[in-house]
């Protein structure tokens, strides 16, 4: 990025993100958001979820702040004690 960018559209264009990369980013954000919502629906703090899942509270915090990308096994460990899991569905079943 060599020039000063004045708005988001210019910055976004300069990033040159492919549609596949954009979909991957959105999916990760949706999964993180759903995991946070599940934790809150279960009325759990990060610390309580840590005790139930075996994932440290600091790792949960970094995932929820989008600092770290969660691995599949970590997501399953977080979701399972709350009564959730991951599932692969056809794209035409995904709500937009």
């Amino acid at each position: 990025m060599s020039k000063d960018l004045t708005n988001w559209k210019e910055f976004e264009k300069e990033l040159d993100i492919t549609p596949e990369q954009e979909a991957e980013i959105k999916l990760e954000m949706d999964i993180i958001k759903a995991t946070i919502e599940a934790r809150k629906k279960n009325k759990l703090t990060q610390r309580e979820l840590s005790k139930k899942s075996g994932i440290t509270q600091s790792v949960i915090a970094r995932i929820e702040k989008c600092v770290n990308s969660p691995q599949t096994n970590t997501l399953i460990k977080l979701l399972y004690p709350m009564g959730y899991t991951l599932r692969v569905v056809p794209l035409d079943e995904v709500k937009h």
Side-chain angles (χ1 to χ4, degrees):
M1 288 188 257
S2 55
K3 62 181 179 177
D4 289 334
L5 303 175
T6 59
N7 63 44
W8 175 250
K9 286 294 180 190
E10 288 179 16
F11 179 72
E12 192 174 32
K13 185 178 177 183
E14 189 77 15
L15 288 176
D16 195 29
I17 295 175
T18 67
E20 293 82 9
Q21 290 169 319
E22 189 172 340
E24 182 181 346
I25 292 166
K26 183 180 181 332
L27 176 61
E28 184 173 313
M29 298 305 296
D30 289 347
I31 290 171
I32 291 169
K33 182 180 175 187
T35 303
I36 294 168
E37 288 172 2
R39 180 177 62 77
K40 289 180 178 181
K41 184 176 181 180
N42 280 269
K43 298 180 175 145
L44 295 171
T45 64
Q46 290 178 351
R47 183 164 311 230
E48 291 166 332
L49 180 55
S50 173
K51 289 178 184 175
K52 288 180 172 278
S53 67
I55 304 297
T56 65
Q57 184 274 327
S58 61
V59 168
I60 295 170
R62 287 193 304 268
I63 290 169
E64 290 189 3
K65 291 179 183 177
C66 300
V67 173
N68 287 61
S69 296
Q71 294 183 353
T72 305
N73 63 333
T74 301
L75 285 169
I76 291 170
K77 287 177 185 177
L78 291 173
L79 293 170
Y80 193 79
M82 297 188 292
Y84 292 86
T85 191
L86 295 176
R87 190 173 108 182
V88 175
V89 298
L91 285 174
D92 59 355
E93 290 183 20
V94 178
K95 294 179 185 177
H96 295 282

